């Protein structure tokens, strides 16, 4: 089955700086790669996703890149704000979604 | 409903008791998933359904765990003879499309927090 590794497990940045979270996956058949944000005590919610026929996707301050050859994908958040503080999960899917272990992002004002 | 609804939100039970966790997905959503999430960790896949058919139950930890979705809408996750290690947040999610053909956004419920004493 699919195995998703996520790094770093915690990330602390100053407000306004960029944050990068990286994930690797094992199943070359995976074709869908979403990112979820989970605030404390709340449910995970989708923030951006990318499919295997695209190398990069951007939505305002958030971008995701995918390298299928190397089987890794990354989340980039620019101009971070305190409200970006949360746990972020990457995931990979061929059939069902397999999640990474999460990255706790702390944005210091 | 407006979102994925799970009940009960909190369940405290004694070791050895059976528990049933209910999930009511977003109306019209074909796919339904069960995940287990330990504190500080990512959701761990348990099982999923397309319509009423259970497509994959490879994530169920053992035969004490079972799930059903008899009419293709509401689903129940049942844990028999609960053990302390079963304590976790159990999250249900639903998706509009058929999993495997056009995997899309999962909408998660608030979860059912199970505590086994």
């Amino acid at each position: 089955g699919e195995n998703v590794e996520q790094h770093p497990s915690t990330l602390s940045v100053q407000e306004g700086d960029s944050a990068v979270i990286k994930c690797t996956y094992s199943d070359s058949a995976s074709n869908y790669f979403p990112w979820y944000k989970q605030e404390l005590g709340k449910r995970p919610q989708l923030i951006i996703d990318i499919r295997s026929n695209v190398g990069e996707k951007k939505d305002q301050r958030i971008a995701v890149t995918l390298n299928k050859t190397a089987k890794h994908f990354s989340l980039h958040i620019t101009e971070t704000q305190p409200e970006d503080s949360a746990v972020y999960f990457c995931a990979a899917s061929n059939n069902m979604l397999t999640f990474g272990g999460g990255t706790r992002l702390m944005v210091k004002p | 409903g407006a979102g994925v609804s799970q009940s009960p939100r909190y369940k405290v039970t004694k070791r050895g008791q059976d528990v049933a966790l209910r999930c009511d997905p977003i109306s019209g959503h074909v796919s339904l998933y069960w995940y287990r999430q330990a504190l500080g960790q990512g959701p761990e896949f348990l099982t999923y359904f397309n319509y009423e058919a259970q497509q994959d139950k490879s994530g169920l930890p053992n035969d004490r765990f079972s799930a059903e979705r008899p009419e293709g809408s509401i689903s129940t996750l049942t844990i028999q003879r609960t053990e302390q290690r079963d304590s976790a947040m159990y999250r249900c999610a639903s998706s509009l499309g058929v999993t495997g053909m056009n995997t899309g956004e999962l909408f998660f419920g608030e979860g059912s927090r199970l505590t086994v004493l």
Side-chain angles (χ1 to χ4, degrees):
Chain A
E2 177 66 277
N3 182 49
V4 178
E5 300 284 341
Q6 184 171 347
H7 300 280
S9 56
T10 60
L11 179 59
S12 181
V13 300
Q14 205 66 38
E15 181 177 2
D17 289 350
S18 295
V20 180
I21 302 170
K22 298 182 179 182
C23 289
T24 60
Y25 62 99
S26 61
D27 186 352
S28 57
S30 287
N31 55 18
Y32 175 64
F33 307 91
W35 288 85
Y36 283 77
K37 175 182 181 182
Q38 186 173 25
E39 296 178 348
L40 189 62
K42 297 190 176 180
R43 69 189 82 187
Q45 291 189 298
L46 180 74
I47 55 170
I48 194 168
D49 56 11
I50 191 169
R51 297 192 183 272
S52 58
N53 57 346
V54 176
E56 184 173 355
K57 184 176 179 181
K58 190 173 182 180
D59 182 4
Q60 299 182 20
R61 297 186 296 107
I62 296 173
V64 57
T65 59
L66 171 65
N67 183 327
K68 286 216 72 179
T69 302
K71 290 191 283 191
H72 66 68
F73 55 114
S74 300
L75 177 72
H76 304 250
I77 306 175
T78 58
E79 301 171 27
T80 53
Q81 301 167 2
E83 52 264 39
D84 294 331
S85 297
V87 179
Y88 292 80
F89 295 102
C90 63
S93 173
N94 181 9
N95 286 312
M96 82 294 184
L97 275 179
T98 300
F99 286 84
T103 297
R104 180 172 300 279
L105 174 64
M106 293 170 284
V107 181
K108 295 178 287 186
Chain B
V4 177
S5 178
Q6 291 188 245
S7 61
R9 291 287 309 281
Y10 302 92
K11 177 69 176 179
V12 180
T13 191
K14 291 183 178 180
R15 186 181 54 180
Q17 298 294 307
D18 297 350
V19 297
L21 308 177
R22 172 187 164 120
C23 174
D24 194 350
I26 293 173
S27 179
H29 277 200
V30 169
S31 299
L32 184 146
Y33 310 76
W34 284 99
Y35 283 85
R36 179 167 66 176
Q37 188 174 21
L39 197 62
Q41 297 184 21
E44 173 194 7
F45 171 77
L46 297 177
T47 185
Y48 85 90
F49 297 81
N50 282 334
Y51 301 99
E52 73 284 356
Q54 190 171 22
Q55 300 291 328
D56 187 333
K57 56 181 181 178
S58 62
L60 295 177
N62 50 61
D63 60 7
R64 295 186 297 105
F65 288 73
S66 62
E68 62 175 9
R69 193 188 185 197
E71 298 179 359
S73 180
I74 293 169
S75 176
T76 302
L77 176 70
T78 301
I79 309 173
Q80 296 179 310
R81 304 180 303 281
T82 52
E83 301 177 4
Q84 286 185 327
R85 59 178 172 156
D86 299 333
S87 297
M89 175 72 83
Y90 289 83
R91 291 197 187 272
C92 175
S94 69
S95 178
L96 182 60
V98 175
T99 298
M101 294 178 61
N102 186 24
T103 303
E105 179 177 1
L106 262 59
F107 294 83
F108 282 89
E110 294 283 11
S112 292
R113 182 170 294 285
L114 174 65
T115 301
V116 182
L117 302 177

